[in-house]
């Protein structure tokens, strides 16, 4: 039995979903612990693509179980849509999906505030209401997932919160208010979700752990989007780094065996904010095209640039990463020269250049199958970061994964 924490080391979209799916065994339990449906995880199995936002990526394996911990913010509507999407794809979540009673709900007013405020602040959020929902959690006024079971008992509290949100919308953000009665009536339709999935995930995690199950903790977003350690204020509103799993799921740090950090072989970012190694030339276009770099949640083009080893070194410490996975190596297959930032001069990146391999890696099954120059790139990354690269991904499919 092992417990593995999977963490994105960049600004998200590192391929966490693909790798979590590839690591999921029949006996695995896969747990989300932060974020919400701002995440977009694409998993390709047997030629079919599934895009998950809220449900853990373990759901694609029919025998695994999936938990959503207290640290996740839940939009009942997004949850309903995702379960429906999975059902349509022939994937059942019954007796496989467990959601913490303590998850704060994302209300329609959170979405309206997020979208109205982003017009002023220009963070480039996903517009899913994530930030405002976490504000209410910290402000001790959240409606929780289990509150859906008995909405009458929290009606007054809900209307007070909605009144507060409407004041923010109309008086501060120049936006339309939303009708509290409609929101209340709509919420009642989601009572069945709480009946089906709400539970005490703290107890469950402890049971699974003591039972010796393999547990994967699936991070969403990436370390540089962490609310405390990221490129503030251009960050998301949760702790995306390793510490988030203890608070967001209720598992002590001592029970985590491996911390697998995932990085692309280059860097991407969606939304605004600093990106020192960003490219604006034909190489950026090529990476974007070959890597299909468009956000899975909003469809926005992802900004592309070189790998930033200097930044990775910092987040490796923050997360106490024990092993690394490098994804999308195949996207660099055609490049003549590849650069990686190894330092900064003031704030200008200092690059080390690598000779491109200019041959296909997509059918490589073993490290020794990779072209020599690709091996050298990986070995340099490993040496620079002082952490072994144990997994290399050379395509979106489950089987395009090299284990070392
Ligand atoms: P996540 O948010 O970290 O789960 O990553 P996303 O799913 O948002 O983005 C990663 C994208 O790259 C998805 O479309 C994956 O199907 C795809 N992908 C993952 N690994 C690889 C890889 O090694 N090579 C290529 N070409 N695509 C990959
Ligand atoms: P996955 O799990 C990439 C970014 C948004 C924005 C910032 C704040 O697929 O890696 P938010 O809506 O969270 O308040 O937006 O965070 N962002 C992501 N970028 N991948 C994600 O998730 C992201 N989730 C949020 O683009 O810059
Ligand atoms: Mg994503």
């Amino acid at each position: 039995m092992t417990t593995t924490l999977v963490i994105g080391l960049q600004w998200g979209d590192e391929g966490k979903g693909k790798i979590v799916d590839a690591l999921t065994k029949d006996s695995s339990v896969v747990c989300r612990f932060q974020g919400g449906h701002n995440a977009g995880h694409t998993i390709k199995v047997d030629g079919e693509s599934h895009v998950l936002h809220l449900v853990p990526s373990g759901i694609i394996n029919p025998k695994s179980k999936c938990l959503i911990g207290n640290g996740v913010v839940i939009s009942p509507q997004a949850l309903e849509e995702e379960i429906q999407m999975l059902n349509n794809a022939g994937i059942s979540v019954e007796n496989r999906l467990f959601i913490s009673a303590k998850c704060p709900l994302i209300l329609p007013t959170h979405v309206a505030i997020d979208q109205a405020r982003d017009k002023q602040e220009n963070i480039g959020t996903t517009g899913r209401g994530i930030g405002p929902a976490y504000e209410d959690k910290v402000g001790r006024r959240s409606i929780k997932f289990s509150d859906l079971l008995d909405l009458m008992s929290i009606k007054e509290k809900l209307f007070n919160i909605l009144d507060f949100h409407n004041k923010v919308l109309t008086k501060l953000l120049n936006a339309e208010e939303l009708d509290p009665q409609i929101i209340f009536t709509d919420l009642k339709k989601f009572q069945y979700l709480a009946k089906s999935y709400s539970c005490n995930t703290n107890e469950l995690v402890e049971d699974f752990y003591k039972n010796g199950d393999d547990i994967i903790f699936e991070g969403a977003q990436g370390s540089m989007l962490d609310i405390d350690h990221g490129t503030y204020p251009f960050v998301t509103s949760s702790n995306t780094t390793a510490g988030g799993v203890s608070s967001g799921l209720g598992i002590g740090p001592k029970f985590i065996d491996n911390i697998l950090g995932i990085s692309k072989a280059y860097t991407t970012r969606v939304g605004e904010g600093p990106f020192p190694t960003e490219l604006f030339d034909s190489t950026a276009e090529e990476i974007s095209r070959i890597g299909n770099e468009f956000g899975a949640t909003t469809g926005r083009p992802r900004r592309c640039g070189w790998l930033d080893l200097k930044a990775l070194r910092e987040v490796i410490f923050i997360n106490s990463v024990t092993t690394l996975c490098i994804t999308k190596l195949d996207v660099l297959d055609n490049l003549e020269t590849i650069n990686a930032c190894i330092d900064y001069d003031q704030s200008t990146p200092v690059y080390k250049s690598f000779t491109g391999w200019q041959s296909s890696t997509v059918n490589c099954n073993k490290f020794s199958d990779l072209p020599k120059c690709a091996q050298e790139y990986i070995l340099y990354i490993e040496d620079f970061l002082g952490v072994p690269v144990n997994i290399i991904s050379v395509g979106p499919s489950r089987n395009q994964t090299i284990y070392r």
Side-chain angles (χ1 to χ4, degrees):
M1 157 206 128
T2 35
T3 62
T4 305
L5 171 55
V6 175
I7 291 284
L9 299 180
Q10 299 168 307
W11 283 291
D13 304 324
E14 296 88 350
K16 300 174 293 292
K18 174 204 153 151
I19 297 300
V20 167
D21 168 73
L23 294 178
T24 302
K25 302 186 200 91
D26 289 348
S27 65
S28 296
V29 180
V30 182
C31 312
R32 278 278 304 266
F33 54 90
Q34 47 70 229
H37 66 305
N38 49 349
H41 302 161
T42 304
I43 297 156
K44 202 169 169 192
V45 182
D46 301 331
E48 215 175 310
S49 277
H50 307 276
V51 182
L52 297 168
H53 300 285
L54 201 47
V55 176
S57 300
I59 206 76
I60 308 300
N61 183 324
K63 290 191 186 147
S64 68
K65 296 209 169 6
C66 290
L67 263 67
I68 297 182
N70 57 279
V72 174
V73 284
I74 300 268
S75 154
Q77 183 161 343
L79 179 64
E80 179 176 85
E81 284 168 11
E82 195 155 321
I83 291 171
Q84 195 62 57
M85 180 278 289
L86 286 164
N87 284 337
N88 292 344
I91 298 167
S92 169
V93 304
E94 296 316 309
N95 299 317
R96 300 180 55 213
L97 178 65
F98 307 91
I99 302 178
S100 170
K102 294 190 274 190
C103 289
L105 290 189
I106 301 179
L107 301 169
T109 41
H110 290 134
V111 178
I113 291 172
D114 188 10
Q115 293 179 1
R117 202 160 48 195
D118 206 49
K119 283 190 193 134
Q120 297 178 0
E121 294 179 349
N122 226 0
I123 300 290
T125 74
T126 60
R128 299 295 191 267
I130 305 293
Y134 277 117
E135 283 168 40
D136 279 354
K137 171 181 171 171
V138 178
R140 297 175 297 218
R141 50 181 177 264
S142 287
I143 303 294
K144 302 285 187 163
F145 188 53
S146 59
D147 288 332
L148 288 174
L149 292 171
D150 184 11
L151 278 169
M152 282 317 284
S153 71
I154 53 114
K155 188 171 180 188
E156 192 183 334
K157 180 180 169 185
L158 175 69
F159 275 70
N160 284 339
I161 295 162
L162 295 176
D163 182 48
F164 168 66
H165 289 166
N166 276 333
K167 287 201 174 95
V168 173
L169 281 167
T170 54
K171 299 203 190 310
L172 300 177
L173 296 171
N174 217 358
E176 297 283 310
E177 64 177 9
L178 301 186
D179 185 336
Q181 192 57 51
I182 293 179
I183 293 176
F184 182 66
T185 310
D186 284 349
L187 275 182
K188 282 199 253 181
K189 295 183 202 150
F190 297 119
Q191 188 184 41
Y192 82 97
L193 288 173
K195 276 195 180 145
S196 305
Y197 308 110
S198 170
C199 65
N200 183 336
T201 47
N202 289 62
E203 271 178 17
L204 265 183
V205 170
E206 189 173 345
D207 289 349
F208 285 128
Y209 184 81
K210 289 186 173 157
N211 191 41
D213 291 290
D214 285 313
I215 308 180
I216 299 172
F217 309 108
E218 178 184 17
Q221 288 80 51
S223 300
M224 299 200 226
L225 287 170
D226 184 281
I227 184 73
D228 289 292
H229 303 291
T231 46
Y232 193 90
F234 299 96
V235 293
T236 191
S237 299
S238 63
N239 281 115
T240 58
T241 45
V245 73
S246 290
S247 53
L249 188 68
I251 183 146
K254 216 175 84 174
F255 302 122
I256 298 159
D257 301 324
N258 305 315
I259 302 178
L260 174 65
I262 306 201
S263 168
K264 284 180 186 173
Y266 49 95
T267 309
T268 62
R269 171 163 209 171
V270 208
E272 300 305 313
F275 181 174
T277 63
E278 184 168 11
L279 292 168
F280 300 94
D281 56 7
S282 57
T283 305
E285 279 167 32
E286 168 149 353
I287 291 175
S288 167
R289 185 175 51 82
I290 310 241
N292 192 23
E293 294 297 355
F294 295 89
T297 297
T298 58
R300 290 177 291 176
R302 297 174 183 148
R303 299 153 64 192
C304 298
W306 296 122
L307 187 65
D308 190 338
L309 288 170
K310 182 85 175 154
L312 283 181
R313 204 185 248 170
E314 271 175 42
V315 297
I316 279 174
F317 181 79
I318 292 170
N319 289 298
S320 64
V321 169
T322 56
T323 54
L324 284 166
C325 165
I326 301 296
T327 59
K328 304 192 91 160
L329 187 69
D330 56 296
V331 174
L332 306 182
D333 279 353
N334 299 328
L335 299 185
E336 221 169 286
T337 305
I338 293 157
N339 290 329
C341 168
I342 53 167
D343 206 350
Y344 291 100
D345 183 2
Q346 312 290 338
S347 53
T348 309
V350 176
Y351 289 111
K352 175 172 170 60
S353 289
F354 298 82
T355 308
W357 42 97
Q358 297 193 280
S359 58
S360 175
T361 57
V362 296
N363 293 320
C364 294
N365 297 313
K366 302 192 297 292
F367 186 71
S368 56
D369 292 347
L370 288 172
K372 199 93 194 91
C373 290
Q375 291 186 22
E376 277 165 16
Y377 186 54
I378 297 289
L379 291 174
Y380 185 89
I381 293 172
E382 177 171 271
D383 187 51
F384 187 93
L385 298 174
V387 181
V389 176
N390 285 1
I391 305 176
I392 300 155
S393 176
V394 290
S397 296
R398 202 187 255 174
N399 56 3
Q400 289 176 301
T401 315
I402 297 172
Y403 299 92
R404 270 175 90 204

